[in-house]
């Protein structure tokens, strides 16, 4: 685990609009880089910036360009976590009605198969999809420079980008993101922090059961095909998943990422993916104005970020009582969430989220220059701190598997090989 470096304030540090200095790190990282700084908005001072501020005020500018995400593929993971390049795990949303009375505790003791969270899959499933769909990606991105085999700047999971979007407002949990540049593309994979591991290994039984409730809600409202109905008596197996793969662009960053999809709209007139997808959530029922305010300020931020990124247009939320019974269902349209929160004092702003994410990706590009799958830059962040990084060669953080590296390298055009 990376050791935290101390802050040093320089008298000649450039200042933000409110007079606060852009702070940067003094220490050298594992590769011996000197201290420099990155200015939000894309300007850099010196060639290799050493830190990035997460202060919200720095990102309150115009909303960046974010192209409508396009689904370029999908894949499924079965009950034993085996990969299939098809839609066999896609399910269809079935409206449970306004007063559903769904018991989310049912089956927790005797019909629940939980995925082993200690097994770190990194980007492996997405990488398998890429290998099976290189021709599709190549034809789609044919106009891109041949120096980039895939024609995109970043490959990652949607969940990693969600964490970046919410960072300016996060006060509890830090993160570690490993990045390697290979064949012109930056691959980004999360590393579990020590704190997250401790929390995972010490969850209470109540916490474990409440995590199950979300999956159980999905079972109650999802059918296996458009002509069937949900079966709440079956086994909940969290190994199973259907994942979309989308391509988009944030500012000047071309992104390819994948994220799990809960279900699809049954309506045959629904638009093509990803606009036909539906995200499912559960939350405690809201009984007081304070609870509603907290819901808007904290939970809706993460819900919005998770669905906005892949272009999923709506969230169906089951609101449950303390006994785990869903007593009402409400639909949230992603395009209207900003209106819902506008009257909340000092609430989160979508533009801050997206600008920080864009600037972080620019920061990564400015740091990770060497094209080497065995060289990993570990970007680290803790609440109320700057984002910093350290470099690691041939280390435990290496995450691009040999089978992927060899296959991509063997198909590169001769003029792009080094």
């Amino acid at each position: 685990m990376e050791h935290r470096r101390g802050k040093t304030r320089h008298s000649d540090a450039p200042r933000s609009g409110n007079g606060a200095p852009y702070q940067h790190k003094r220490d050298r990282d594992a590769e011996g880089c000197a201290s420099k700084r990155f200015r939000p908005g894309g300007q850099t001072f010196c060639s290799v910036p050493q830190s990035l501020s997460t202060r919200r005020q720095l990102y309150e500018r115009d909303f960046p360009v974010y192209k409508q995400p396009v689904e370029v593929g999908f894949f499924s993971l079965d009950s034993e976590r085996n990969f299939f390049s098809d839609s066999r795990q896609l399910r269809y949303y079935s409206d449970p009605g306004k007063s559903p009375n769904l018991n989310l505790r049912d089956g927790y003791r005797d019909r629940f198969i939980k995925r082993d969270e200690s097994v770190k899959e990194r980007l492996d499933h997405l990488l398998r999809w890429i290998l099976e769909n290189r021709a599709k990606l190549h034809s789609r991105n044919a106009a891109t420079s041949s120096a980039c085999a895939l024609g995109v700047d970043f490959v990652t999971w949607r969940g990693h980008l969600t964490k970046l979007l919410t960072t300016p407002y996060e006060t509890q949990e830090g993160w570690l993101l490993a990045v390697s540049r290979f064949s012109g593309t930056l691959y980004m994979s999360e590393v579990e922090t020590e704190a997250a591991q401790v929390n995972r290994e010490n969850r209470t039984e109540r916490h474990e059961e409440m995590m199950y409730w979300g999956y159980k809600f999905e079972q109650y409202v999802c059918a296996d095909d458009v002509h069937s109905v949900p079966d709440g008596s079956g086994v909940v197996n969290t190994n199973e998943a259907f994942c979309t793969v989308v391509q988009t662009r944030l500012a000047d960053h071309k992104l390819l990422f994948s994220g799990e999809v809960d279900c699809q709209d049954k309506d045959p007139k629904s638009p093509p993916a990803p606009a036909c997808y539906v995200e499912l959530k559960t939350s405690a029922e809201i009984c007081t104005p304070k609870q509603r305010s907290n819901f808007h300020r904290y939970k809706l931020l993460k819900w919005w970020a998770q669905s906005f990124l892949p272009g999923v247009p709506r969230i169906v939320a089951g609101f449950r009582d303390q006994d785990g019974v869903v007593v009402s269902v409400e639909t949230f349209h992603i395009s209207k969430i900003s209106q819902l929160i506008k009257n909340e004092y000092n609430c989160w702003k979508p533009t801050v989220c997206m600008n920080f994410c864009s600037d972080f990706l620019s920061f990564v590009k400015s740091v990770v220059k060497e094209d080497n799958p065995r060289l990993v830059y570990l970007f680290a962040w803790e609440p109320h701190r700057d984002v910093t990084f350290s470099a690691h060669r041939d280390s435990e953080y290496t995450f691009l598997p040999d089978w992927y590296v060899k296959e991509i390298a063997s198909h590169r055009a001769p003029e792009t090989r080094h």
Side-chain angles (χ1 to χ4, degrees), residues 39 69 72 110 146 161 172 181 235 279 335 386:
R39 183 168 188 167
V72 293
D110 58 340
S146 61
L161 296 174
Q172 302 296 318
R181 182 184 289 272
V235 173
E279 179 68 24
S335 62
D386 290 353

Side-chain angles (χ1 to χ4, degrees), residues 245-390:
V245 182
V246 301
Q247 192 167 327
T248 184
R249 177 168 63 85
L250 171 58
D252 60 350
H253 311 298
K254 295 178 182 176
L255 311 177
L256 179 74
F257 60 88
S258 179
E260 188 171 346
V261 170
D262 292 330
C263 56
Q264 176 177 320
D265 195 322
K266 271 188 174 184
D267 188 348
K269 297 178 183 177
S270 60
C276 60
Y277 293 145
V278 180
E279 179 68 24
L280 302 174
K281 295 292 185 184
T282 59
S283 189
E285 61 179 331
I286 297 170
C287 303
T288 68
K290 178 64 174 176
Q291 289 173 343
R292 181 162 296 279
S293 178
N294 286 340
F295 174 76
H296 286 165
R297 295 168 66 86
Y298 305 114
K299 190 156 284 188
L300 268 190
L301 165 58
K302 295 185 178 181
W303 288 10
W304 169 83
Q306 183 183 26
S307 290
F308 179 79
L309 281 165
V312 174
R314 64 184 171 126
I315 298 168
V316 174
F319 288 92
R320 52 165 179 80
D321 62 20
Q322 289 300 305
D323 295 322
V325 176
V326 173
V327 295
S328 65
V329 171
E330 188 174 345
T331 297
F332 295 89
H333 296 277
I334 299 304
S335 62
K336 297 178 180 177
I337 285 180
S338 58
Q339 286 294 106
L340 270 181
I341 65 169
K342 70 177 183 178
N343 293 325
E344 296 288 347
Y345 173 72
N346 200 28
C347 199
W348 58 275
K349 298 178 181 178
T351 185
V352 170
C353 300
M354 295 300 285
N355 279 321
F356 173 76
C357 184
S358 177
D359 281 14
F360 174 80
L361 298 179
S362 295
F363 179 49
V364 169
K365 281 181 176 178
S366 70
V367 170
V368 188
K369 296 293 191 181
E370 183 178 334
D371 201 295
N372 179 355
R374 303 292 299 176
L375 172 60
V376 172
Y377 282 83
L378 193 63
F379 290 83
W381 177 75
E382 290 292 335
H384 314 297
R385 302 293 185 100
D386 290 353
V387 179
T388 59
F389 68 88
S390 54

Side-chain angles (χ1 to χ4, degrees), residues 28-48:
R28 297 172 181 269
D29 67 19
E31 289 294 302
C33 296
S35 170
K36 301 178 180 69
R37 49 202 175 273
F38 185 93
R39 183 168 188 167
Q43 289 180 289
T44 58
F45 298 89
C46 308
S47 57
V48 184

Side-chain angles (χ1 to χ4, degrees), residues 9 12 18 24 57 63 77-78 90 98 119 146 201 237 240 243 245 255 258 267 275-276 282 305 318 361 371-372 403:
R9 180 170 293 180
D12 61 345
N18 62 4
H24 57 100
Q57 303 95 314
F63 200 90
L77 303 175
D78 71 4
L90 177 60
K98 292 295 183 184
V119 176
S146 61
E201 293 174 348
N237 187 328
E240 299 173 347
C243 297
V245 182
L255 311 177
S258 179
D267 188 348
C276 60
T282 59
L361 298 179
D371 201 295
N372 179 355
W403 52 263

Side-chain angles (χ1 to χ4, degrees), residues 78-242:
D78 71 4
S79 59
E80 295 181 341
R81 212 64 181 168
N82 296 310
F83 173 94
F84 294 91
S85 193
D86 57 34
S87 62
R88 67 184 64 192
Q89 293 293 342
L90 177 60
R91 296 173 298 175
Y92 295 84
Y93 177 66
S94 180
D95 190 343
K98 292 295 183 184
S99 302
N101 196 37
L102 305 174
N103 180 12
L104 301 179
R105 304 180 78 167
D106 178 58
Y108 177 65
R109 302 291 177 191
D110 58 340
R111 302 194 312 279
F112 178 33
I113 298 173
K114 182 184 175 186
R115 181 173 76 86
D116 185 352
E117 295 175 273
S118 67
V119 176
K120 301 307 175 188
E121 297 171 329
R122 296 169 171 161
L123 300 181
D124 289 8
H125 296 307
L126 177 53
L127 300 182
R128 290 192 186 280
W129 181 89
I130 289 173
L131 290 185
E132 292 191 16
N133 293 274
R134 274 173 303 171
K136 182 189 296 186
L137 286 175
H138 182 73
S139 61
R140 179 177 176 81
N141 303 312
T144 306
S145 167
S146 61
C148 183
L150 302 182
V152 297
D153 298 317
F154 288 89
V155 168
T156 191
W157 285 110
R158 180 264 313 273
H160 302 353
L161 296 174
T162 300
K163 288 198 173 185
L164 290 175
L165 260 66
T166 60
T167 292
Y169 299 98
E170 177 60 50
T171 60
Q172 302 296 318
E173 299 175 354
W175 46 253
L176 292 170
L177 290 170
V179 180
S180 288
R181 182 184 289 272
F182 172 55
S183 197
T185 292
L186 291 152
Y187 295 81
M188 185 162 63
S189 180
E190 187 175 17
V191 175
E192 186 176 50
T193 64
E194 288 181 0
Q197 180 181 347
V198 168
N199 288 340
R200 174 173 57 81
E201 293 174 348
N202 293 279
R203 290 182 192 136
T204 64
E205 182 66 18
R206 171 75 171 178
H207 188 178
E208 292 280 0
E209 182 175 353
M210 290 176 71
M211 291 176 68
Y212 165 81
W213 291 355
Y215 295 104
K216 185 65 181 181
F217 179 64
E218 294 175 19
Q219 186 187 61
Y220 276 129
V221 300
C222 291
D224 289 338
D225 58 68
V226 289
H227 303 296
S228 64
V229 295
D231 178 14
S233 66
V235 173
V236 170
N237 187 328
T238 61
N239 288 293
E240 299 173 347
F242 170 77

